Amino acid sequence: MTKKSWIGLVMVSVITAIIAHGFMLSEWMQERYVVGPNDGLSQMIPFKHFLYESMRDGNFFYSERFGLGGGSFSQLGYYFSTSIVFLVTVAITAFLEWIGLLATPDLQYWADVTVFVSIIRLSVILIITTIFFRLIGLKSRFSYIGAVIYGISILYFRHVTYWEFFADAIVFLPLLLIGAERIMRYGKPGWFIVAVALSMVDNFYFAYINFLLTFIYIVFRWFIPLVENELKRKRQIVYFLVGGVLGAAISTPFFVPAVYGYLNNFRPPFEGEIPLFDMTENILSDGKLVVLPAFAIICLFLFPLYKKRGFRLFAIMTVLLAVLHASPAVGSVFNGLSAPQFRWEHMLMLVAGGLVAITLQNWKEIQLKYAVIAALGTIGLYMLFSKLELEGKPSLYSDSLEVMALITCAIAILATVRQFKHWDIALWIGIVASSLITVNLFQEEKLTGNNSKVEQVEGQGIPQSFFTSDSYNGEASRELVQQLTVREEDPLARIDWMIGTRNNTPIVQDFLGTSIYSSILNQHLLHFYLNDLSIDMGRESVSRYAGFGGRANLYSILNGVYAVRSDKGNPVPFGFEEVEHNGKFKAFENEHRLPFVRTTHRVYTEEELEDSPVLAREHAMLNGAILEEWDEQPETSPTVENLMDKVTVQPVQAEYKNDKLVVTGKNGGIDLKVSDVRLLKEDTYISFYLERSTADKGFHLKVNDYKTTRKRTDSIYRTRVNDITIRVPSEETIRIRVPEGTYTLSDLALYAEDYSTLEEAERKVEQTSEPIVEWKGGHATVQLDNSNGDSLAVMPIPFEKGWTAKVNGEKVSVLKANYAFSGIPIEAGKNTIEMFYRPPYFGASLIVSFLVITGLFVWMIRKKRNKPFAD
């Protein structure tokens, strides 16, 4: 391509991308955003804001603000921390802020730039995909139309709206295919090495998907070669393997920490049934994930073109992938054999684009009769799909797709009549126009029309005012949190507060919180919540944790100093007194505070406490520390009395027998009445196993004034942890209530907590000097006087591979203490503890990457020097 052609390609790509974003731009100009109301607002925008601020402050790898603390580089590698598109955006944003053209970016800034970043990303997709189609022998104009079919797809805009980083995968697939073609055609692996490296740097998850798709493409290419004298397959395999290994080695500083984060995550395995075939989506006229353009369907009926290898390749792949799209089992394969997800279908749009481009390039060979047959076959297929009971309902979107299909059929027929000049050009324009119309209608009807629950008008985006509403970042709650941070002297004091179900409220409102929502989290913390301490979070759901279930012992152990509640919030923890209020929000302060770092010589083991109730484990953490193992004789597990043998169980609007609870009223359950009120203390811990027998719906669970929710039994977001512990202020009667239905309710246990163990822990620390603690990102320093001669210092810094520690200049091991936090062996007397965090294997990864890049650079120079001069 000439320089003029390149300029033309760039300009037409940008213009097309802008038109494709017409609805988004229109909404933006009216101060509305086409952003997903759930993950878009709860994860995408907050994470971009959080990462930018962390990077600007020099915290590239770890943040104490990421939940209770976490390796943000590793755990957000699935999202944006390694995303090339995001990192470029960060660099540009930082430069604009540095030269004074941009004020400090806030959450709204990241919502604002989404549409503009998407336009640039889509322009790049169109350019790269055009290059790919040019490489396989198509002319520029047809290559570009094929690229439009690929890039201007509803899948792209769905990704941008709900999970923006998903859209990056659409950039890297054609890059990989270009690399594959250059190996197969010319034996040149350079582009493939770069494409592999960039893919693995950007996102490990979509690298897996795109590698699998590239492999499928290569296999099809082996069976249907596009040119003569392609490189022998054995040589190709060598180049693919060597190129893949070299590309992977280059990516290691980004890829390895991100994969470690994934491996260190915990998510319950999917146990639902995965059918082989389940066709629910009309991919012709009402798709919510994929819409095949009408002209691609026409192409499939142009039987004379099947003699051409390129046409045959893309036609077969289009049909095959369209069928596989209806297979949840295939979706599971592309999701790592987990729950079925539709995240690979950009390949379907790419091969459909290739099919369209090859057909247009050979259009002069199509006779009128074949065009008529193809048009009739297409209309018949649309009619068949309209008769099937598929998801969707009549709408402007679906009606428009059917009308455009009829128009496309008519234009295709006219384009074969040689007397009609320029109808072929009309066909090209019609194909591009139909893609642009489709995606804009999709944005208006499918991406915004069903989101009216998030305070926007039907068919419109989220209004700017939502960003300061009580549902997201309300003024009253935000000001209250700011008041607490101003009055508090301890910079590491944590505030238990989140808006509704938005676990990332601490990131949104910029405070040190106790909650987080991310697909990848530290598994030790997740097990701490789900299994080890059985902390109810007010809502059952995977990939998140929140608060401490109102359990005062945990607040004191983990530096939880404040709890904020709305008028309808759950009961405040024991020992918390109201200190501030703003509107309907009140703030309560912990009157039983313990220091951030505590020392002890009493060690319990996880094995010793394996059968102990969670209240006994809390007492063990207050008395000393719990380790995985200990060389010396561990302490005997604390004991707490189960009061169930002194409790009378009475069904209420229900029948309860042999652990089976059948609730017949709107809300029913059981009452637990303690026979002797003198057994009750300050709080009551009630533990039980609860599971709904049918998968028809999720349900609310209420224990006295405490409310929580449970997922339906077939939900992919269910924790599959049915052992529940609820803390409530003590009353003579404990009321367990659930909606009408049948449940398994078993393993009831009741414990009384008088907080004498917590008070004893307070008295102990009052006799010692207060440690001096500084913790910022991946560096923590502690100065303490171990005058008691204790052997261990315990602090609520989450345990995570990557932490190293020194005590008085000598390297020591960081131990996993209290199930999920850090324990440091200490000496008698003065101790200076220094802790440093680097992503796991980061140093070794840097060395590997540097050596490979250097080796390739030297090899290229030597190859260039040894190349003979042309005559």
Side-chain angles (χ1 to χ4, degrees):
M1 292 175 64
T2 64
K3 182 178 180 181
K4 185 177 179 180
S5 299
W6 278 111
I7 294 173
L9 175 59
V10 171
M11 290 181 63
V12 74
S13 296
V14 172
I15 292 170
T16 306
I18 291 172
I19 297 173
H21 287 82
F23 178 76
M24 280 191 178
L25 286 169
S26 173
E27 292 295 285
W28 178 81
M29 287 187 286
Q30 298 176 68
E31 298 185 337
R32 294 191 296 262
Y33 304 101
V34 184
V35 177
N38 297 317
D39 287 348
L41 287 175
S42 291
Q43 289 188 312
M44 305 304 120
I45 290 175
F47 285 160
K48 287 189 284 185
H49 175 65
F50 164 74
L51 285 169
Y52 179 78
E53 288 198 327
S54 297
M55 292 175 182
R56 187 181 56 192
D57 295 340
N59 296 325
F60 295 98
F61 303 122
Y62 194 97
S63 177
E64 73 282 6
R65 295 172 53 221
F66 188 74
L68 296 174
S72 51
F73 184 74
S74 293
Q75 292 172 41
L76 291 180
Y78 175 66
Y79 294 92
F80 295 109
S81 65
T82 63
S83 165
I84 295 171
V85 172
F86 174 70
L87 293 176
V88 171
T89 308
V90 164
I92 295 172
T93 300
F95 175 74
L96 293 176
E97 186 181 6
W98 179 62
I99 63 177
L101 291 179
L102 180 68
T104 302
D106 57 9
L107 287 163
Q108 192 175 312
Y109 166 82
W110 294 104
D112 280 322
V113 301
T114 297
V115 63
F116 300 102
V117 170
S118 181
I119 289 171
I120 296 171
R121 182 199 292 114
L122 183 53
S123 301
V124 172
I125 290 170
L126 294 175
I127 293 167
I128 294 174
T129 311
T130 300
I131 294 171
F132 166 67
F133 287 135
R134 285 274 298 148
L135 179 61
I136 63 173
L138 298 177
K139 294 179 180 179
S140 295
R141 57 183 178 273
F142 305 123
S143 296
Y144 184 74
I145 294 173
V148 166
I149 299 297
Y150 173 61
I152 314 296
S153 64
I154 66 170
L155 187 66
Y156 174 81
F157 286 91
R158 179 180 170 86
H159 285 347
V160 170
T161 300
Y162 295 135
W163 311 281
E164 188 185 351
F165 66 96
F166 282 15
D168 292 0
I170 301 177
V171 177
F172 294 102
L173 178 59
L175 273 177
L176 286 163
L177 298 186
I178 291 171
E181 283 290 342
R182 286 177 63 83
I183 286 177
M184 289 187 283
R185 291 167 181 265
Y186 316 121
K188 294 182 178 181
W191 195 299
F192 187 74
I193 293 171
V194 172
V196 168
L198 291 175
S199 297
M200 295 178 70
V201 165
D202 186 82
N203 189 287
F204 71 92
Y205 173 67
F206 278 101
Y208 161 75
I209 292 175
N210 280 341
F211 290 167
L212 195 54
L213 293 172
T214 302
F215 173 75
I216 292 171
Y217 177 81
I218 291 170
V219 170
F220 269 88
R221 282 282 282 104
W222 283 347
F223 284 100
I224 309 176
L226 296 182
V227 293
E228 301 296 335
N229 301 319
E230 290 184 352
L231 198 67
K232 298 294 185 183
R233 289 181 190 173
K234 290 184 179 179
R235 292 285 303 278
Q236 288 184 35
I237 292 172
V238 171
Y239 279 126
F240 283 131
L241 291 176
V242 173
V245 169
L246 292 174
I250 293 170
S251 74
T252 50
F254 298 86
F255 181 76
V256 170
V259 170
Y260 172 78
Y262 168 76
L263 296 175
N264 193 48
N265 182 43
F266 168 73
R267 185 155 180 163
F270 179 73
E271 297 177 355
E273 185 177 342
I274 303 176
L276 181 62
F277 190 81
D278 184 19
M279 187 175 178
T280 59
E281 184 182 15
N282 186 339
I283 64 173
L284 298 185
S285 62
D286 197 34
K288 62 181 181 180
L289 294 162
V290 172
V291 169
L292 284 175
F295 190 73
I297 308 303
I298 292 173
C299 296
L300 294 174
F301 287 100
L302 295 173
F303 302 111
L305 291 183
Y306 279 90
K307 63 186 178 183
K308 296 184 179 295
R309 285 187 285 189
F311 182 92
R312 193 161 62 248
L313 170 70
F314 287 106
I316 293 173
M317 291 192 72
T318 299
V319 173
L320 175 64
L321 296 181
V323 172
L324 294 182
H325 170 61
S327 172
V330 173
S332 174
V333 170
F334 279 97
N335 197 35
L337 300 179
S338 185
Q341 296 287 0
F342 301 94
R343 293 169 181 168
W344 60 269
E345 279 78 359
H346 50 294
M347 183 63 168
L348 171 57
M349 299 310 297
L350 188 139
V351 295
L355 175 66
V356 168
I358 290 176
T359 301
L360 292 176
Q361 182 156 306
N362 294 278
W363 190 251
K364 291 183 179 180
E365 299 181 21
I366 303 300
Q367 299 175 18
L368 177 60
K369 62 178 180 179
Y370 294 119
V372 172
I373 293 171
L376 292 175
T378 299
I379 293 170
L381 196 60
Y382 270 79
M383 292 176 65
L384 174 62
F385 268 68
S386 68
K387 297 295 183 183
L388 298 175
E389 294 183 0
L390 303 176
E391 290 181 357
K393 58 184 178 181
S395 65
L396 178 62
Y397 171 67
S398 58
D399 291 345
S400 297
L401 292 182
E402 291 174 357
V403 171
M404 286 191 292
L406 289 173
I407 295 173
T408 303
C409 289
I411 297 176
I413 292 172
L414 290 172
T416 59
V417 180
R418 305 309 174 202
Q419 293 86 346
F420 294 165
K421 293 183 178 180
H422 308 307
W423 277 100
D424 54 344
I425 297 176
L427 181 60
W428 309 341
I429 295 172
I431 293 169
V432 174
S434 63
S435 291
L436 293 171
I437 293 170
T438 298
V439 295
N440 278 284
L441 285 172
F442 176 77
Q443 293 167 55
E444 182 173 5
E445 288 204 7
K446 296 294 185 179
L447 295 184
T448 60
N450 298 323
N451 292 333
S452 55
K453 293 181 180 178
V454 239
E455 298 187 7
Q456 77 263 41
V457 180
E458 186 80 6
Q460 295 180 353
I462 292 172
Q464 193 178 95
S465 59
F466 185 79
F467 283 84
T468 54
S469 69
D470 285 344
S471 298
Y472 191 67
N473 187 14
E475 182 179 1
S477 63
R478 185 174 65 250
E479 288 180 349
L480 181 58
V481 167
Q482 290 171 351
Q483 291 170 17
L484 297 178
T485 57
V486 169
R487 80 188 298 272
E488 177 57 45
E489 295 181 358
D490 181 4
L492 300 178
R494 293 198 176 272
I495 302 171
D496 173 20
W497 164 240
M498 55 181 276
I499 294 175
T501 58
R502 298 192 184 276
N503 291 58
N504 288 327
T505 296
I507 292 176
V508 171
Q509 296 192 335
D510 192 24
F511 65 90
L512 212 60
T514 62
S515 63
I516 194 73
Y517 167 36
S518 172
S519 289
I520 294 178
L521 292 169
N522 182 343
Q523 67 170 331
H524 304 301
L525 284 171
L526 294 174
H527 284 300
F528 179 80
Y529 272 83
L530 298 175
N531 304 309
D532 302 323
L533 271 295
S534 187
I535 304 170
D536 186 83
M537 297 174 266
R539 176 194 183 199
E540 181 192 18
S541 188
V542 296
S543 302
R544 67 187 74 212
Y545 57 80
F548 304 122
R551 287 152 60 174
N553 292 330
L554 296 178
Y555 281 90
S556 297
I557 292 168
L558 301 176
N559 216 35
V561 177
Y562 297 101
V564 175
R565 296 287 189 269
S566 65
D567 292 340
K568 299 180 180 179
N570 276 324
V572 298
F574 165 81
F576 276 62
E577 299 295 331
E578 183 177 344
V579 291
E580 300 278 0
H581 72 275
N582 193 328
K584 64 180 181 180
F585 302 100
K586 296 179 181 179
F588 303 85
E589 182 176 3
N590 189 356
E591 297 295 316
H592 299 278
R593 297 172 64 159
L594 297 176
F596 187 85
V597 179
R598 295 185 298 123
T599 64
T600 185
H601 65 277
R602 304 183 68 179
V603 174
Y604 304 84
T605 63
E606 294 180 10
E607 182 180 4
E608 176 72 22
L609 292 162
E610 186 175 2
D611 298 322
S612 298
V614 295
L615 183 56
R617 298 179 186 186
E618 289 182 9
H619 289 174
M621 290 189 283
L622 289 168
N623 289 333
I626 304 171
L627 300 181
E628 285 186 292
E629 54 186 26
W630 187 242
D631 293 337
E632 303 176 19
Q633 180 66 34
E635 300 284 336
T636 302
S637 170
T639 58
V640 291
E641 182 183 3
N642 184 353
L643 302 178
M644 278 305 297
D645 59 348
K646 302 174 180 64
V647 168
T648 302
V649 180
Q650 296 182 351
V652 178
Q653 297 188 56
E655 296 179 2
Y656 183 53
K657 187 176 181 181
N658 297 328
D659 297 336
K660 184 178 181 180
L661 176 67
V662 180
V663 177
T664 54
K666 184 177 180 181
N667 280 286
I670 60 172
D671 285 350
L672 306 178
K673 294 194 175 183
V674 180
S675 58
D676 186 352
V677 294
R678 291 173 298 178
L679 296 171
L680 299 175
K681 308 299 179 184
E682 300 291 348
D683 277 352
T684 299
Y685 283 47
I686 173 71
S687 297
F688 49 88
Y689 178 96
L690 178 67
E691 185 174 14
R692 189 175 174 90
S693 299
T694 55
D696 54 345
K697 59 183 178 180
F699 61 94
H700 291 272
L701 165 66
K702 188 175 180 182
V703 179
N704 290 8
D705 292 329
Y706 185 88
K707 308 178 194 69
T708 187
T709 62
R710 307 293 295 174
K711 294 288 184 186
R712 53 186 294 164
T713 55
D714 61 351
S715 171
I716 63 173
Y717 301 108
R718 184 177 169 228
T719 63
R720 307 193 185 280
V721 175
N722 299 311
D723 292 300
I724 302 169
T725 296
I726 304 292
R727 162 265 169 189
V728 291
S730 288
E731 296 182 30
E732 183 178 354
T733 301
I734 305 297
R735 301 173 297 278
I736 301 176
R737 297 290 183 267
V738 290
E740 182 179 0
T742 303
Y743 304 82
T744 297
L745 176 62
S746 61
D747 301 331
L748 287 158
L750 195 70
Y751 307 96
E753 172 62 314
D754 61 4
Y755 292 104
S756 58
T757 306
L758 174 58
E759 292 167 353
E760 177 61 30
E762 284 185 273
R763 287 191 291 270
K764 178 183 176 183
V765 298
E766 286 172 358
Q767 301 169 7
T768 61
S769 59
E770 185 81 13
I772 301 172
V773 182
E774 293 182 8
W775 178 26
K776 185 70 174 176
H779 182 224
T781 303
V782 179
Q783 303 279 349
L784 64 85
D785 183 4
N786 182 22
S787 56
N788 293 334
D790 289 330
S791 57
L792 193 67
V794 183
M795 60 194 79
I797 296 178
F799 176 82
E800 194 171 334
K801 190 178 182 68
W803 279 112
T804 57
K806 290 183 179 180
V807 175
N808 296 332
E810 297 292 328
K811 189 172 182 179
V812 298
S813 298
V814 179
L815 306 176
K816 181 162 76 76
N818 294 340
Y819 297 104
F821 300 94
S822 298
I824 306 294
I826 55 176
E827 305 170 355
K830 303 278 186 183
N831 283 262
T832 298
I833 302 173
E834 289 188 283
M835 295 179 64
F836 302 90
Y837 178 86
R838 285 292 178 271
Y841 316 110
F842 189 70
S845 298
L846 277 176
I847 294 171
V848 169
S849 182
F850 175 77
L851 291 176
V852 171
I853 292 173
T854 302
L856 285 172
F857 184 70
V858 171
W859 177 79
M860 289 172 61
I861 292 176
R862 293 186 62 181
K863 184 179 180 181
K864 189 173 182 179
R865 286 178 178 174
N866 294 333
K867 187 176 181 180
F869 291 102
D871 294 333

